[in-house]
């Protein structure tokens, strides 16, 4: 016998997302398409994850990570997949390939991702 | 009747040698698998070999430019260095199982996968190019060899090869001048204890000979010169029917461990007398991929009590009195035989030395651990004795390098089939420095008539031991010939 609890509790609750209010007073010319099928849902344009009042679009990507990704992609030091970045730097160093020293500094500082760009994705 | 007291003055002392193991690069205990693929080991191999070939190219063809595969221009003669890949029609591929049409692979697997349509491709990090021309024959090469090629790109898009450079024999430390008498090293492989065709008395006879329990004083004198024994793989054969993944009945469980126990009993007799190295082979209870790790000492409770017992990796590299030995249990040479052709097994062994790589087909067709920072199979210094176990017959040759290197190549036959063990002697005649004698003495323990294919043989001794005859042949192959 089905429980007499509310059906609403059965379905996953939807997060209450506050949309950022447009700063300019003039109304924007673009409006998200309002299809009857979606009934007000914004499936085509999911709202950005708000953290600390501004959209969090960076996902851990800063200029240090950019330098490291360039190091990952450089073919002269061999394939990057399956090795930690520091191990790959040390291999390049021991093979005499003279990898950039600032990459080593970044990797040993510990504030950056130690795995290569494709780790876990391939 | 004379007294049977042991006369201390007539005690024969066994000779001794300084042993130095060089197996650290074949150990994988410190390696951690992080999901890497084989691209890492190929990169390490290409980089080390390319650096070496770049240093050799100026002496070979100094006037030609060196470029990468992507930097090739049509019609321009240049030199490129890369890893060879051999496209083989008949090579078994896992994808053949999924193809709907009948592939070229016949239902019965051939022993050798060569086909006249095989062609070579040269590959480096930037790209790959098909190789053409008559100067490079696909039947000689296998995937994984790094070479330098002189040629030019044609309008058809392939690279027409005019000349090939391989790395050549690595540099060798000079053979030390040892004054004094011969010392012998015994090599045996393919004991296959536990197999239905193996006669346990043959190995017992060999052990008796090595430990000096056979013959009169003169034979014991020969045995006293044996300083080391190396067992090169396939020491046991576990009955295959037991290893099908099913739970074993209790009587079958004891059958599983009987071969090892029998081997341990025999090895204890050897280890009690002299240093012994045992290497794993394809049929032994060790890991499958090269480099095979040493057999666990727990398998040999009797022999491992002696400090003369050494369980070694495959490949195995060691030094005895500063003479360097390097060899495998035969998987590398057998795999080369499947994917290329040569006059005899010694020719394959010579090629591996000239390519400076023990097992070029690893990891393509030969199981190999995916190293990331190095390729441990690269041969950095030329050994004095290079051996391969578990071969069909005993063969040996003296190989001369362009820089005065001298290597004794030895194929060790399967003992269970041939009853042949190989004894290598080191004998330096200090009077004439050119005659650096490295002779091989063949000990044949078969009960049949002596083999006739050996030349220069001298029937040295005949033993009578429990109705079995042992013929000892001295095959004198001096170092300088």
């Amino acid at each position: 016998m089905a429980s007499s609890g509310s059906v609403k509790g059965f379905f996953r609750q939807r997060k209450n997302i506050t949309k950022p209010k447009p700063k300019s007073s003039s109304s924007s010319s673009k409006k998200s398409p309002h299809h009857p099928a979606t009934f007000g849902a914004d499936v085509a344009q999911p709202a950005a994850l708000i953290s600390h009042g501004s959209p969090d679009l960076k996902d851990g990507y800063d200029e240090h990570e950019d330098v490291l990704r360039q190091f990952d992609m450089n073919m002269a030091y061999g394939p990057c997949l399956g090795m930690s970045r520091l191990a790959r730097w040390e291999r390049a160093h021991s093979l005499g390939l003279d990898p950039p020293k600032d990459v080593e500094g970044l990797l040993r500082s510990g504030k950056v991702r130690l795995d290569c760009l494709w780790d876990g994705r391939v | 009747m004379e007294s049977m007291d042991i006369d201390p003055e007539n005690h024969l002392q066994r000779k001794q040698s300084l042993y130095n193991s060089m197996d650290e690069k074949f150990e994988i205990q410190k390696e951690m698998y992080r999901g890497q693929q084989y691209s890492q080991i190929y990169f390490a191999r290409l980089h080390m070999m390319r650096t070496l070939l770049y240093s050799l190219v100026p002496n070979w063809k100094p006037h030609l430019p060196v470029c990468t595969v992507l930097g090739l221009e049509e019609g321009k003669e240049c030199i490129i260095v890369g890893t060879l890949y051999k496209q083989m029609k008949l090579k078994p591929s896992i994808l053949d199982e999924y193809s709907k049409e009948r592939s070229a692979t016949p239902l019965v697997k051939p022993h050798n996968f060569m086909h006249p349509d095989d062609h070579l491709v040269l590959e480096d990090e930037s790209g790959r190019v098909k190789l053409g021309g008559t100067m490079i024959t696909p039947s000689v090469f296998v995937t994984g060899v790094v070479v330098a090629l002189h040629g030019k790109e044609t309008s058809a898009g392939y690279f027409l090869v005019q000349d090939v450079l391989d790395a050549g024999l690595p540099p060798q430390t000079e053979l030390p001048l040892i004054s004094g008498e011969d010392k012998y090293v015994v090599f045996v492989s393919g004991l296959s204890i536990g197999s239905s065709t193996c006669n346990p008395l043959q190995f017992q006879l060999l052990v008796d000979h090595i430990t000096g329990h056979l013959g009169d004083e003169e034979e014991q004198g020969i045995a006293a010169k044996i300083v080391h024994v190396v067992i090169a793989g396939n020491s046991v054969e576990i009955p295959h029917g037991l290893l099908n993944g099913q739970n074993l009945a209790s009587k079958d469980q004891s059958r599983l461990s009987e071969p090892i126990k029998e081997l341990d009993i025999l090895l204890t007799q050897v280890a009690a007398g002299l240093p012994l190295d045992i290497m794993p082979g394809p049929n032994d209870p060790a890991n499958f991929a090269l480099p095979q790790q040493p057999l666990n000492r727990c398998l040999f409770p009797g022999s491992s009590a002696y400090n003369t017992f050494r369980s070694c990796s495959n490949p195995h590299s060691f030094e005895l009195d500063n003479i360097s030995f390097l060899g495998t249990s035969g998987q590398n040479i057998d795999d080369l035989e499947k994917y290329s052709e040569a006059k005899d097994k010694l020719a394959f062994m010579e090629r591996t030395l000239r390519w400076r790589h023990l097992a070029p087909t690893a990891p393509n067709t030969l199981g190999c651990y995916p190293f990331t920072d190095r390729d441990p199979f690269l041969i950095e210094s030329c050994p004095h004795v290079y051996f391969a176990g578990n071969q069909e017959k005993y063969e040996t040759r003296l190989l001369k390098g362009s820089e005065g290197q001298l290597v004794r190549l030895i194929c060790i036959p399967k003992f269970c089939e041939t009853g042949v063990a190989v004894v290598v002697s080191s004998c330096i005649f200090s009077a004439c420095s050119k005659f650096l004698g490295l002779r091989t003495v063949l000990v044949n323990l078969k009960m049949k008539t002596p083999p006739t294919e050996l030349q220069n043989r001298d029937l040295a001794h005949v033993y009578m031991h429990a109705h079995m005859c042992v013929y000892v042949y001295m095959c004198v192959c001096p170092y300088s010939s």
Side-chain angles (χ1 to χ4, degrees):
Chain A
M1 190 151 150
S3 70
S4 53
S6 67
V7 176
K8 194 177 162 195
F10 182 82
F11 291 106
R12 190 156 46 123
Q13 302 289 358
R14 238 164 141 247
K15 192 150 72 161
N16 246 352
I17 305 167
T18 55
K19 292 209 195 343
K21 291 193 177 55
K23 295 234 161 47
S24 58
S25 53
S26 60
S27 62
S28 69
S29 50
K30 289 203 176 96
K31 252 189 142 180
S32 55
H34 219 80
H35 298 285
T38 56
F39 252 67
D42 240 343
V43 288
Q45 293 278 326
L49 188 65
I50 306 293
S51 84
H52 305 302
S54 58
D56 183 9
L57 298 163
K58 279 204 162 183
D59 199 21
Y61 184 91
D62 57 0
E63 70 267 9
H64 292 315
E65 179 67 18
D66 193 42
V67 168
L68 291 174
R69 283 186 184 183
Q70 292 302 318
F71 173 68
D72 279 346
M73 290 285 98
N74 193 337
M75 273 202 308
Y77 308 125
C80 68
L81 194 58
M83 285 179 91
S84 74
R85 283 169 169 166
L86 189 56
R88 184 160 170 267
W89 192 95
E90 276 166 1
R91 173 181 76 183
H93 186 69
S94 66
L95 288 178
L97 293 164
D98 202 18
K101 295 255 182 309
D102 49 345
V103 170
E104 183 197 10
L106 277 177
L107 289 171
R108 291 198 198 276
S109 71
K111 290 188 216 111
V112 292
R113 235 172 83 94
L114 289 174
D115 294 318
C116 88
L117 171 60
W118 308 113
D119 192 74
R121 292 196 201 179
V122 178
Chain B
M1 195 155 94
E2 30 179 40
S3 100
M4 300 286 271
D5 289 340
I6 299 170
D7 193 350
E9 278 124 34
N10 283 352
H11 241 155
L12 266 178
Q13 292 292 336
R14 187 182 292 279
K15 296 205 190 301
Q16 290 188 328
S17 271
L18 262 166
Y19 177 88
N20 189 20
S21 164
M22 304 194 309
D23 277 346
E24 296 90 38
K25 56 179 177 172
F26 299 124
E27 284 171 18
I28 56 177
Q29 273 78 18
K30 298 183 199 79
E31 302 287 329
M32 195 157 79
Y33 183 64
R34 304 183 96 255
Q36 69 267 27
Q37 298 192 7
Y38 289 120
S39 54
Q40 311 283 2
I41 190 176
Y42 274 122
F43 170 72
R45 183 187 302 181
L46 175 62
H47 183 81
M48 308 273 316
M49 291 297 297
R50 187 167 50 189
T51 314
L52 174 68
L53 285 166
Y54 277 172
S55 69
L56 295 175
V57 157
N59 292 337
W60 180 49
K61 301 201 180 201
H63 51 282
L64 288 171
V66 177
C67 58
T68 61
V69 168
L70 216 52
L72 281 176
E73 289 165 27
E74 193 185 311
K76 178 176 123 178
E77 257 187 58
C78 60
I79 294 179
I80 51 174
V81 178
T83 314
L84 285 175
Y85 175 77
K86 184 151 95 166
Q87 177 67 37
M88 301 179 81
K89 211 166 168 166
L90 296 179
K91 181 176 125 185
S93 162
I94 190 83
L95 299 174
D96 289 340
E97 290 178 38
Y98 296 99
S99 72
K100 294 223 164 43
E101 67 273 348
R102 178 74 71 193
S103 61
T105 321
L107 288 170
V108 177
K109 278 225 176 85
H111 214 59
N112 180 291
F113 298 105
M114 288 174 54
H115 191 273
D117 286 347
D118 294 340
H119 61 267
L120 290 169
V121 172
L122 191 84
E123 189 174 313
D124 68 9
E125 307 102 334
S126 57
R128 45 180 12 219
V129 63
K130 196 166 153 183
L131 300 177
T134 52
M135 295 306 294
I136 189 162
T137 36
S139 60
V140 165
F141 292 95
V142 286
T143 302
V145 179
V146 180
V147 288
L149 300 175
H150 160 218
K152 55 176 181 252
E153 188 185 352
T154 58
S155 52
Y158 64 86
F159 186 80
L160 183 70
V161 177
Q162 291 163 311
D163 205 355
V164 182
L165 174 73
D166 52 35
L169 289 183
Q172 188 184 60
T173 54
E174 253 194 61
L175 200 62
L177 288 169
I178 305 173
S179 61
E181 293 168 15
D182 273 346
K183 287 184 187 175
Y184 298 151
V185 180
V186 173
F187 287 90
V188 66
S189 81
L191 298 170
S192 294
I193 292 177
S195 90
S196 47
T197 53
C198 143
N199 182 354
L201 290 174
Q202 276 196 329
F203 187 49
Q204 183 63 61
L205 191 59
L206 177 65
V207 170
D208 285 342
H209 171 74
I210 293 173
T211 51
H213 287 107
L214 278 186
D216 64 357
E217 267 182 42
E218 213 175 323
E219 284 82 36
Q220 286 182 325
I222 294 175
K225 293 182 189 168
I226 300 176
V227 291
H228 207 81
V229 175
V230 177
I231 300 180
N234 279 358
S235 316
V236 290
E237 194 168 301
I238 315 250
H240 274 252
L242 296 180
L243 297 172
N244 55 4
Q246 306 263 336
N247 281 333
L248 289 176
S250 49
K251 68 170 166 64
D252 284 339
Q253 279 184 2
S254 57
R255 273 179 61 205
L256 202 61
S257 57
E258 261 161 33
I260 285 272
K261 283 189 197 155
E262 202 181 317
L263 176 68
D264 187 34
I265 292 170
L266 291 161
L267 292 185
T268 311
Q269 299 172 34
V270 182
L274 74 163
L276 164 73
D277 282 0
I278 181 161
M279 294 163 59
N283 296 343
D284 287 323
N287 59 315
F288 168 74
L290 290 183
Q292 281 185 294
Q293 297 305 289
L295 293 163
N296 200 314
R297 293 175 73 91
C298 302
L299 293 167
F300 307 103
S303 347
S304 56
Y306 292 94
N307 67 350
T308 47
F309 176 83
R310 245 179 237 106
S311 184
C312 306
S313 60
N314 169 34
H316 184 33
S317 168
F318 63 100
E319 267 177 10
L320 267 181
D321 283 343
N322 291 322
I323 300 174
S324 62
F325 293 75
L326 175 66
T328 63
S329 301
Q331 292 109 317
N332 56 336
I333 304 300
D334 292 341
D335 207 54
L336 278 180
E337 199 188 11
K338 283 192 215 160
Y339 296 99
S340 63
E341 72 180 355
K343 194 172 64 172
D344 53 16
K345 293 288 180 83
L346 294 172
F348 287 125
M349 292 174 73
E350 184 180 336
R351 283 182 198 166
T352 59
L353 282 179
R354 290 200 190 278
W355 293 331
R356 297 206 198 183
H357 201 276
L358 269 174
T361 52
N364 186 36
T365 46
L366 191 57
C368 168
Y369 181 84
F371 291 95
T372 51
D373 52 353
R374 64 201 168 94
D375 186 345
F377 304 111
L378 287 169
I379 304 174
E380 260 131 44
S381 88
C382 195
H384 295 111
V385 177
Y386 183 45
F387 62 92
N390 295 300
Q391 300 305 307
E392 257 63 38
K393 55 183 172 133
Y394 161 69
E395 285 179 298
T396 182
R397 192 185 300 153
L398 194 60
L399 179 63
K400 292 201 179 96
S402 58
E403 284 158 33
Q405 300 100 328
L406 281 174
V407 195
R408 169 64 67 186
L409 306 177
I410 306 176
C411 283
I412 307 167
K414 294 182 191 148
F415 189 79
C416 68
E417 284 169 19
T418 59
V420 173
V422 179
V423 179
V424 178
S425 94
S426 70
C427 183
I428 313 293
F429 296 110
S430 53
C432 174
S433 60
K434 216 179 112 187
F435 203 124
L436 300 173
L438 207 72
R439 304 177 295 168
T440 53
V441 172
L442 191 70
V443 178
N444 187 317
L445 298 171
K446 268 210 124 84
M447 292 179 272
K448 304 180 194 164
T449 51
T452 49
E453 74 265 12
L454 298 168
Q455 292 163 354
N456 300 328
R457 68 176 189 274
D458 238 0
L459 192 61
H461 296 285
V462 174
Y463 305 87
M464 293 302 285
H465 180 82
H467 309 291
M468 282 193 254
C469 291
V470 175
Y471 296 93
V472 178
Y473 294 94
M474 299 281 286
C475 282
V476 181
C477 319
Y479 213 33
S480 60
S481 76

